[in-house]
Amino acid sequence: MPLEDDFSDIIKKARAGLGLSIREVARASGLTETDLVGFERGHPPRDREQVRAVAHGLALKAEALEHIAIDHWEPAAQRALSWVETVHGSVGGYGVQGYIVQDQGEAVVIDTGYNARGMIEAITARSLRLVAVCLTHGHADHADGLDALLAHREAPVYLGSDDRPLLGWKPPARLLHSPGDGAAIPVGRRVVQCITSPGHTPGGLCYHVGDAEQSLCFVGDTLFAGSIGRSNPSTLYPIHLDSVRRRLLSLPGDCRLLPGHGPGTTVAEERQHNPFGTA
């Protein structure tokens, strides 16, 4: 699976987050406005020097940006785990994924993946009992189909309180919960732990499973392999960077990070290859 974001996506997100004009980035980087407009339109950089100049102008990690723009880095493939299933969906051809964590006949859905039918089919095929729906944020590609999931079986829905207004369909109040940082959601013998991670949205959450076999964190759009989701609104950008750097990249290096779009990655890989990480 290719990276969710390329060089042009990364620099557009950084420039929007910083609230800078093309002219301001040109002044800070020493590059021409023509070059910068071309990069944002998908033209590749000529060499590493140009990449480093862009990184300087946008306060990005230069070596990591080179890995993506010049070296075409991609994260290592991840072996499948018997207790985690990925459910793929599509929004007009735009791929999105949700996940099912299972143990001892119980299941927790992490985002709907814009494919509630696929979620229900997977849960039914494995004779699992839905015990919770954990939403990383309230955007439709991650939350659409809640009504169908809860019609299959009522279960508590976890979502950051500041993201409730983003839901197109709201569950009954008795089922909608806004967990605090560190809140624990059991699924069989495993525990899904909430990590508050505002930035992509005001009430963003990630969900960490500190399993003895393999530590995982479901990160939604807070982080992509080699990038981050767009900060909505852009004024959340500094908070978003803090969530990525302080909350996610501080997890153990071998912890897998499973995003809502694009390939999975690991904390160690992101520390080295994500331009939005700590320089």
Side-chain angles (χ1 to χ4, degrees):
M1 183 183 295
L3 295 180
E4 173 66 14
D5 285 351
D6 60 16
F7 177 64
S8 65
D9 297 318
I10 291 167
I11 64 175
K12 283 186 286 189
K13 286 178 177 179
R15 185 169 71 82
L18 293 169
L20 298 176
S21 67
I22 289 285
R23 177 170 295 181
E24 288 170 322
V25 178
R27 288 173 179 168
S29 66
L31 296 169
T32 68
E33 293 181 39
T34 300
D35 280 338
L36 291 167
V37 169
F39 295 156
E40 291 198 2
R41 290 178 176 173
H43 299 167
R46 184 176 59 250
D47 52 31
R48 294 180 188 274
E49 184 177 352
Q50 283 194 323
V51 176
R52 288 193 293 270
V54 173
H56 174 76
L58 294 171
L60 294 170
K61 188 175 179 180
E63 185 178 3
L65 193 58
E66 288 182 55
H67 293 164
I68 292 169
I70 303 295
D71 303 324
H72 308 293
W73 167 81
E74 291 185 358
Q78 298 181 346
R79 66 180 180 86
L81 298 171
S82 61
W83 48 278
V84 177
E85 181 162 352
T86 305
V87 176
H88 296 276
S90 173
V91 184
Y94 177 52
V96 57
Q97 56 242 11
Y99 302 91
I100 299 171
V101 177
Q102 58 180 294
D103 192 53
Q104 292 189 322
E106 295 185 342
V108 166
V109 164
I110 313 284
D111 288 343
T112 65
Y114 208 73
N115 188 1
R117 177 181 294 180
M119 288 286 183
I120 293 168
E121 288 176 352
I123 290 169
T124 302
R126 289 153 186 74
S127 302
L128 301 173
R129 181 171 64 91
L130 180 66
V131 296
V133 179
C134 296
L135 299 179
T136 60
H137 61 291
H139 287 161
D141 55 335
H142 295 257
D144 184 82
L146 267 181
D147 51 344
L149 278 172
L150 297 186
H152 168 74
R153 179 180 174 84
E154 282 200 350
V157 176
Y158 296 89
L159 175 70
S161 59
D162 289 338
D163 271 27
R164 289 188 180 193
L166 300 178
L167 290 179
W169 180 86
K170 291 182 174 61
R174 59 187 169 80
L175 294 179
L176 189 55
H177 302 271
S178 295
D181 189 58
I185 302 164
V187 51
R189 296 161 298 182
R190 293 186 167 90
V191 175
V192 177
Q193 188 172 39
C194 303
I195 299 175
T196 53
S197 55
H200 175 62
T201 58
L205 292 170
C206 296
Y207 297 96
H208 180 237
V209 183
D211 189 82
E213 178 186 357
Q214 175 64 63
S215 176
L216 299 177
C217 192
F218 301 90
V219 297
D221 293 357
T222 299
L223 177 145
F224 300 144
S227 188
I228 60 174
R230 191 178 306 278
S231 305
N232 294 292
S234 60
T235 51
L236 288 175
Y237 183 68
I239 296 171
H240 194 166
L241 293 182
D242 184 67
S243 290
V244 168
R245 295 168 179 175
R246 189 171 60 86
R247 308 311 311 279
L248 298 184
L249 298 189
S250 64
L251 293 169
D254 63 351
C255 178
R256 290 190 190 180
L257 303 175
L258 300 181
H261 309 276
T265 182
T266 65
V267 169
E269 287 179 296
E270 295 308 300
R271 289 174 185 164
Q272 183 177 1
H273 301 289
N274 196 306
F276 296 94
T278 304

